[in-house]
């Protein structure tokens, strides 16, 4: 079981277009951040390689090529913001390679948004020409109902992104894993969050890994600051916490030195086992 950070940057990406700041011009590759997205790679009980994507941002093509992703079994959507959904078109290549449709999982409102934005995928019979579009199987997530994908138990986590209710996800092994086998699970993935409702806290216990939004130091209405994220992480008490969705205000090396034990900034390409 591997958890891969495909992208760790905020919505504009880092470097930002037209910016000459120290982070945008940094020589440290960890200061280059594609839009926030992640993959869970594992072998299922039948020995088949599986990949679950969390979100399909506008950098998905570059991320898939960089990681060498060759398949996608399911996509979990946190919310319909451009930086988390606008790469959905790219998954048609996975359809072509693996010759199966891809399950997508999102709340009803998010699925409705995806149907509107990607009408050429969902209403393909309306396309003027029969063009090469993704083949998807939509599943509506009930935020109170955990579900299972190829032996991974997925528990939706209600989060607040400013006033917008969105989803994070907790991943657990549905069945015990062999002794000695390493795993980043239980893992909770909480991007684009500024508030955690009381009922969600009890779903964040016993984590080996917490992945948490930490935009920048300055206050923001829809994202946790680094100080706020550190405070949330201390309350959650996961064995280790990785921060994501950073802006160009956050230099990687310097910021990491200032973080408490067990907390780090993630960087693109980082793999947890
Ligand atoms: Zn975002
Ligand atoms: Zn910059
Ligand atoms: Zn967002």
């Amino acid at each position: 079981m591997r958890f891969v950070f495909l992208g760790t940057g905020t919505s504009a990406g880092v470097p930002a277009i037209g910016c000459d700041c120290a982070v945008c011009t940094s020589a440290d590759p960890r200061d280059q951040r594609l839009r926030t997205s992640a993959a869970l790679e594992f072998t299922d009980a039948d020995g088949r390689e599986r990949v679950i994507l969390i979100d399909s941002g506008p950098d998905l093509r570059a991320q898939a090529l960089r990681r060498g992703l060759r398949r996608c079994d399911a996509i979990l959507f946190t919310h319909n913001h451009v930086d988390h959904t606008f790469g959905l078109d790219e998954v048609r290549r996975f359809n072509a390679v693996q010759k199966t449709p891809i399950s997508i999982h999102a709340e009803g409102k998010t699925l409705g948004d995806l149907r509107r934005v990607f009408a050429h995928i969902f209403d393909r019979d309306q396309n003027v020409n029969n063009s090469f579009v993704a083949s998807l199987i939509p599943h509506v997530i009930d935020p109170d109902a955990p579900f299972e994908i190829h032996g991974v138990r997925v528990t939706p986590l209600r989060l607040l992104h400013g006033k917008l209710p969105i989803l994070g996800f907790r991943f657990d092994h549905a069945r015990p894993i062999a002794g000695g086998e390493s795993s980043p699970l239980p893992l909770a993935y909480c991007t684009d969050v500024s508030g955690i409702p009381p009922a969600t806290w009890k779903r964040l216990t016993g984590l080996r890994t917490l992945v948490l939004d930490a935009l920048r130091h300055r206050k923001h209405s829809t994202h946790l600051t680094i100080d706020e994220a550190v405070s949330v992480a201390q309350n959650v008490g996961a064995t280790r916490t990785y921060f994501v969705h950073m802006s160009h205000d956050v230099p990687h090396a310097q910021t990491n030195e200032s973080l408490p034990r067990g907390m780090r900034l993630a960087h693109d390409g980082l793999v947890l086992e």
Side-chain angles (χ1 to χ4, degrees):
M1 179 73 67
R2 295 178 300 275
F3 184 85
V4 184
F5 292 91
L6 296 175
T8 58
T10 191
S11 58
V14 183
I17 292 173
C19 186
D20 302 315
C21 79
V23 175
C24 287
T25 57
S26 163
D28 185 343
R30 298 170 303 176
D31 281 323
Q32 295 184 8
R33 304 176 182 126
L34 297 178
R35 268 58 72 89
T36 292
S37 173
L40 204 52
E41 303 174 349
F42 57 101
T43 307
D44 72 12
D46 299 323
R48 291 200 186 91
E49 288 298 310
R50 300 290 186 186
V51 176
I52 300 173
L53 289 182
I54 310 172
D55 291 327
S56 61
D59 296 316
L60 178 59
R61 176 177 172 276
Q63 292 164 334
L65 290 170
R66 183 167 67 182
R67 177 60 190 166
L69 292 181
R70 303 186 70 91
R71 66 175 297 113
C72 171
D73 297 281
I75 310 171
L76 305 175
F77 285 100
T78 57
H79 65 305
N80 176 45
H81 276 166
V82 167
D83 56 323
H84 297 265
T85 56
F86 267 39
L88 183 56
D89 232 45
E90 308 297 351
V91 306
R92 60 194 179 149
R93 272 300 303 164
F94 296 123
N95 290 133
V97 172
Q98 70 201 35
K99 299 185 171 54
T100 59
I102 296 167
S103 296
I104 63 167
H105 301 259
E107 282 189 277
K109 180 182 181 313
T110 304
L111 271 182
D113 291 336
L114 292 174
R115 283 182 186 280
R116 175 174 52 79
V117 174
F118 295 96
H120 63 287
I121 293 176
F122 292 93
D123 304 316
R124 65 189 299 167
D125 52 337
Q126 309 281 310
N127 294 344
V128 175
N129 293 310
N130 183 21
S131 47
F132 176 32
V133 301
S135 177
L136 308 174
I137 304 173
H139 299 268
V140 180
I141 293 177
D142 171 349
D144 293 316
F147 55 99
E148 198 180 314
I149 303 176
H150 300 301
V152 174
R153 185 174 169 84
V154 182
T155 305
L157 303 169
R158 172 62 72 222
L159 303 172
L160 285 172
H161 185 18
K163 292 177 188 160
L164 183 71
I166 71 157
L167 289 182
F169 299 102
R170 177 189 173 121
F171 301 97
D172 292 87
H173 292 279
R175 285 166 284 282
I177 58 169
E181 200 178 313
S182 78
S183 170
L185 310 192
L187 179 150
Y189 186 86
C190 302
T191 190
D192 292 59
V193 53
S194 54
I196 300 181
T200 300
W201 283 98
K202 62 177 186 293
R203 295 177 173 166
L204 293 172
T205 57
L207 294 175
R208 173 145 193 254
T209 313
L210 173 65
V211 178
L212 185 63
D213 185 359
L215 180 73
R216 64 185 190 194
H217 288 288
R218 242 176 335 120
K219 184 79 186 153
H220 193 279
S221 59
T222 62
H223 293 272
L224 294 174
T225 64
I226 289 178
D227 285 349
E228 289 167 342
V230 165
S231 166
V232 167
Q234 280 166 337
N235 287 332
V236 169
T239 308
R240 54 192 185 167
T241 298
Y242 288 90
F243 298 121
V244 293
H245 215 290
M246 284 78 69
S247 80
H248 63 160
D249 295 329
V250 182
H252 184 91
Q254 187 188 328
T255 310
N256 258 349
E257 280 171 28
S258 72
L259 293 174
R261 256 178 92 90
M263 299 186 200
R264 314 294 287 170
L265 299 185
H267 59 84
D268 289 23
L270 176 65
V271 179
L272 306 181
E273 299 193 349

